[in-house]
């Protein structure tokens, strides 16, 4: 029997919305501990709303379990899809009300992480010159929220700030999106738009050129994000598009504040997927892991597009807000030329993912993935353990030395492990099959959804500490 990919996508959708609630609960609990008795009533009310939302989502899971994939016809699948989109919207709305209470500044390790990522790509000096701020955001809208847009009191030119949603403050998998924000500061918008105008003005009217400029700013940041973090950035973009965009993915997205339009998520993902064809991306001794991860994401993303196609998207409504394929291709090549000229120090990442695969294997075993062996000699170590004469303790220990893993390898390992760690499997179904009560299985389930992020964050911390010791 062929796999029911539509049903698998819906399971993944449910898991990821529930996972975001788990991270949100974690943030609220941390805030409660830090504030003490400053705003207990406010936190109590918010926590009740959060618990109610989680229970409402769990009711949907029970409906999905009772229906089972074989009994869901096409219309039933579409109904569940719309239900989950509504739940995703509710989560984002609840996240937005975090503005009720204050939050601390992001931990220094977020800056350290970002600085190390740019250092690995040869941009350490340029990063330091930006002198930015990282702030927590109440918005969960990664794809359109513009922290650089300030209505009053300060101009965008005076502000270099990159936003991280509060609930993802301890989830490094989505810290990758910060690299997109770095691009908005790294490449001066005026320089980029002048370059686009010089390169494309002869082919297009002023009205078309204005739309091209708007798309160029976002696509340029996507290209930079992919050049810096590779598949890890692509996975984060696909992930957020699949599960946290309520609009049709073929539709340009309107921003919340500035009322401008961003390119459709489908086009953004399509362009980057072409930069990373699975069959030729991977080299090294562990080629299957990253190829498998990208394959899973591709299949899930295609299922999301299938559901969107069933909603009968009317592109005529956006006639003046969509670029033709020919124009988009010309713009994409222009952006590549622009970055080659204005970012010549950016080092291309190594397409050997064997190190990331090794780190992913550690994460799979619930081990930290912050370091890699310098010169592992298993035979010599086994001889020492067995008491073989002539093998000293010093000689054995010298073969156990490790070096810090790169942020690039850790991030890509994290996304590999998300797939290999069965993150798309409905673990809640196990509890429902066993007729467990919600009060007994829920705490364990929510903890399991945040544990991989804790493991990855600790791995980053280990790598950062080790880097100062070698």
């Amino acid at each position: 029997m062929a796999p029911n990919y539509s049903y698998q996508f819906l399971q993944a959708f449910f898991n990821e919305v529930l996972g975001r609630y788990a991270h949100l609960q974690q943030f609220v609990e941390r805030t409660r501990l830090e504030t003490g008795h400053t705003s207990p009533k406010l936190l109590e009310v918010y926590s009740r709303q959060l618990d109610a939302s989680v229970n409402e989502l769990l009711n949907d899971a029970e409906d999905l379990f009772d229906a089972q994939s074989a009994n869901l016809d096409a219309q039933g699948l579409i109904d569940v899809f719309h239900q989950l989109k509504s739940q995703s919207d509710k989560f984002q709305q609840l996240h937005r009300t975090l503005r009720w209470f204050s939050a601390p500044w992001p931990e220094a390790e977020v800056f350290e992480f970002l600085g190390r990522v740019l250092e690995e790509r040869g941009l350490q000096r340029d990063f330091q010159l930006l002198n930015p701020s990282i702030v927590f955001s109440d918005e969960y809208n990664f794809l359109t929220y513009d922290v650089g847009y300030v209505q009053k009191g300060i101009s965008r030119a005076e502000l270099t700030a990159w936003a991280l949603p509060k609930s993802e403050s301890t989830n490094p998998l989505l810290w990758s999106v910060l690299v997109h924000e770095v691009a908005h500061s790294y490449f001066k918008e005026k320089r980029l738009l002048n370059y686009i105008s010089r390169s494309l003005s002869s082919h297009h009217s002023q009205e078309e050129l204005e739309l091209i400029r708007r798309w160029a700013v976002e696509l340029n940041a996507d290209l930079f994000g992919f050049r810096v973090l590779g598949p890890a950035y692509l996975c984060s973009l696909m992930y957020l598009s699949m599960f946290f965009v309520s609009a049709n993915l073929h539709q340009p997205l309107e921003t919340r504040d500035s009322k401008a339009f961003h390119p459709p998520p489908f086009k953004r993902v399509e362009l980057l997927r072409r930069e990373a064809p699975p069959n030729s991306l991977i080299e090294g001794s562990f080629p299957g892991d990253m190829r498998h991860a990208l394959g899973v994401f591709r299949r899930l993303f295609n299922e999301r597009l299938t559901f969107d196609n069933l909603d009968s998207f009317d592109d005529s409504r956006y006639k003046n807000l969509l670029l033709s394929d020919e124009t988009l291709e010309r713009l994409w090549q222009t952006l590549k030329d622009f970055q080659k000229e204005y970012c010549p120090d950016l080092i291309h990442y190594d397409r050997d993912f064997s190190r990331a695969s090794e780190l992913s294997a550690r994460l799979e075993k619930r081990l930290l993935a912050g370091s890699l062996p310098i010169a592992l000699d298993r035979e010599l170590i086994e001889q020492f353990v067995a008491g073989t004469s002539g093998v000293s303790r010093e000689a054995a220990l010298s073969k156990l030395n490790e070096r810090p893993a790169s942020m690039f390898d850790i991030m890509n390992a994290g996304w590999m492990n998300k797939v290999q760690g069965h993150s798309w499997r409905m673990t809640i179904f196990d509890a429902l099959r066993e007729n467990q009560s919600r009060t007994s299985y829920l705490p364990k389930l929510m903890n399991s959804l945040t544990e991989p992020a804790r493991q990855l964050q600790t791995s980053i911390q280990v790598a950062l500490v080790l880097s100062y010791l070698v």
Side-chain angles (χ1 to χ4, degrees):
M1 181 177 175
N4 188 328
Y5 292 131
S6 295
Y7 192 67
Q8 289 182 7
F9 168 78
L10 295 176
Q11 291 184 52
F13 200 162
F14 171 87
N15 270 3
E16 294 315 311
V17 175
L18 185 61
R20 305 285 52 81
Y21 273 121
H23 280 275
L24 181 54
Q25 278 187 340
Q26 187 182 68
F27 178 84
V28 171
E29 177 60 19
R30 190 166 67 251
T31 302
R32 185 187 66 78
L33 293 174
E34 291 173 354
T35 57
H37 300 288
T38 305
S39 55
K41 186 64 177 177
L42 188 59
L43 283 167
E44 181 185 330
V45 171
Y46 190 90
S47 294
R48 284 203 302 267
Q49 291 181 344
L50 182 52
D51 290 343
S53 297
V54 169
N55 280 291
E56 183 180 334
L57 182 59
L58 291 172
N59 291 338
D60 292 344
E62 292 174 356
D63 293 341
L64 195 60
F65 175 72
D66 291 338
Q68 297 299 313
S69 60
N71 298 326
L72 278 178
D73 57 16
Q75 186 57 50
L77 289 170
I78 294 171
D79 291 343
V80 173
F81 171 66
H82 287 150
Q83 203 169 342
L84 287 171
K85 279 210 301 183
S86 176
Q87 292 288 357
S88 178
D89 284 343
K90 288 179 181 178
F91 162 76
Q92 294 177 63
Q93 291 167 12
L94 187 59
H95 194 285
R96 207 169 290 138
T97 58
L98 286 172
R99 64 179 180 271
W100 289 349
F101 35 86
S102 61
W105 289 98
E107 298 289 343
E109 70 186 34
V110 181
F111 259 106
E112 286 274 339
F113 159 80
L114 202 52
R116 192 58 53 84
V117 166
L118 274 297
E119 180 183 346
E120 291 169 5
R121 301 276 74 80
L123 301 177
Q124 181 181 22
R125 179 178 174 275
D126 295 333
F127 174 76
Q128 292 173 343
L129 290 174
L130 292 175
N131 193 27
S133 295
I134 295 179
V135 297
F136 281 143
S137 169
D138 302 320
E139 293 284 341
Y140 197 83
N141 195 341
F142 284 90
L143 272 67
T144 62
Y145 180 63
D146 184 3
V147 73
Y149 180 82
V150 181
Q151 289 182 320
K152 296 179 181 178
I154 189 170
S155 72
R156 178 174 181 146
E158 297 169 331
L159 178 66
T160 302
W162 306 324
L164 182 67
K166 290 175 177 175
S167 65
E168 304 301 344
S169 59
T170 56
N171 179 24
L173 274 185
L174 293 178
W175 292 359
S176 54
V177 186
L178 285 171
V179 180
H180 175 102
E181 297 302 320
V182 170
H184 287 313
S185 304
Y186 185 89
F187 298 100
K188 301 306 178 186
E189 189 170 305
K190 184 176 180 180
R191 174 179 287 180
L192 170 63
L193 297 183
N194 286 341
Y195 189 93
I196 294 297
S197 297
R198 289 196 305 270
S199 302
L200 300 178
S201 60
S202 61
H203 300 277
H204 303 280
S205 66
Q206 282 302 312
E207 184 180 77
E208 289 175 318
L209 200 57
E210 180 57 35
L211 178 59
I212 290 171
R213 290 192 189 106
R214 288 206 297 269
W215 282 32
V217 172
E218 295 306 315
L219 295 178
N220 183 65
D222 284 341
L223 178 60
F224 181 79
F226 180 79
R227 292 181 69 195
V228 169
L229 278 175
Y233 180 78
L234 174 57
C235 287
S236 64
L237 183 62
M238 296 174 76
Y239 173 89
L240 293 165
S241 299
M242 286 188 287
F243 305 127
F244 298 99
V245 172
S246 58
N248 192 299
L249 298 189
H250 294 88
Q251 165 184 329
L253 300 183
E254 187 174 359
T255 64
R256 181 172 176 80
D257 293 322
S258 61
K259 303 302 180 185
F261 282 86
H262 284 51
F266 166 67
K267 291 297 184 182
R268 294 172 65 172
V269 168
E270 184 182 56
L271 289 168
L272 291 185
R273 286 203 328 197
R274 282 169 34 198
E275 296 295 313
N279 291 333
S280 61
L281 176 69
I282 312 304
E283 300 172 7
S285 56
F286 299 92
D289 297 335
M290 180 54 78
R291 185 174 294 126
H292 174 62
L294 287 172
V296 169
F297 270 86
R298 179 186 292 270
R299 188 169 71 235
L300 288 170
F301 192 80
N302 288 344
E303 286 302 319
R304 168 63 200 255
L305 293 177
T306 298
F307 278 110
D308 280 351
N309 289 337
L310 293 173
D311 279 345
S312 303
F313 172 65
D314 181 10
D315 60 359
S316 64
R317 292 179 54 198
Y318 302 94
K319 184 177 180 180
N320 298 323
L321 295 169
L322 291 169
L323 298 179
S324 68
D325 290 340
E326 180 182 357
T327 299
L328 185 58
E329 186 67 34
R330 188 180 296 122
L331 171 59
W332 189 244
Q333 185 56 54
T334 302
L335 292 173
K336 289 183 181 181
D337 296 339
F338 170 76
Q339 291 197 15
K340 184 177 180 181
E341 181 174 342
Y342 287 98
C343 193
D345 296 329
L346 178 58
I347 301 170
H348 293 293
Y349 62 82
D350 185 356
R351 294 195 171 193
D352 180 354
F353 284 83
S354 58
R355 295 180 301 277
S357 296
E358 187 174 342
L359 294 175
S360 177
R362 290 192 181 189
L363 293 171
E364 178 72 13
K365 296 174 183 176
R366 297 295 181 261
L367 300 174
L368 295 182
S371 61
L372 288 163
I374 295 174
L376 181 62
D377 188 335
R378 295 185 186 279
E379 183 178 351
L380 183 68
I381 294 169
E382 289 171 359
Q383 288 175 356
F384 171 74
V385 172
T388 304
S389 61
V391 180
S392 69
R393 179 174 179 272
E394 290 73 19
L397 288 176
S398 70
K399 298 302 181 182
L400 288 174
N401 289 340
E402 298 212 339
R403 59 180 172 79
S406 71
M407 296 299 110
F408 177 91
D409 287 333
I410 293 174
M411 291 296 288
N412 281 281
W415 282 107
M416 279 190 233
N417 184 63
K418 187 166 183 65
V419 172
Q420 294 167 337
H422 310 292
S423 294
W424 313 119
R425 188 171 67 86
M426 288 283 278
T427 53
I428 188 177
F429 278 9
D430 296 334
L432 295 176
R433 288 189 187 96
E434 297 167 6
N435 292 317
Q436 296 181 27
S437 68
R438 189 173 294 184
T439 54
S440 65
Y441 74 70
L442 185 56
K444 182 179 178 181
L445 175 62
M446 299 300 267
N447 183 69
S448 71
L449 292 170
T450 58
E451 180 57 33
R454 283 193 290 269
Q455 187 186 6
L456 195 65
Q457 184 180 18
T458 305
S459 297
I460 288 174
Q461 292 167 349
V462 167
L464 291 172
V465 171
L466 279 177
S467 67
Y468 291 108
L469 301 177
V470 296

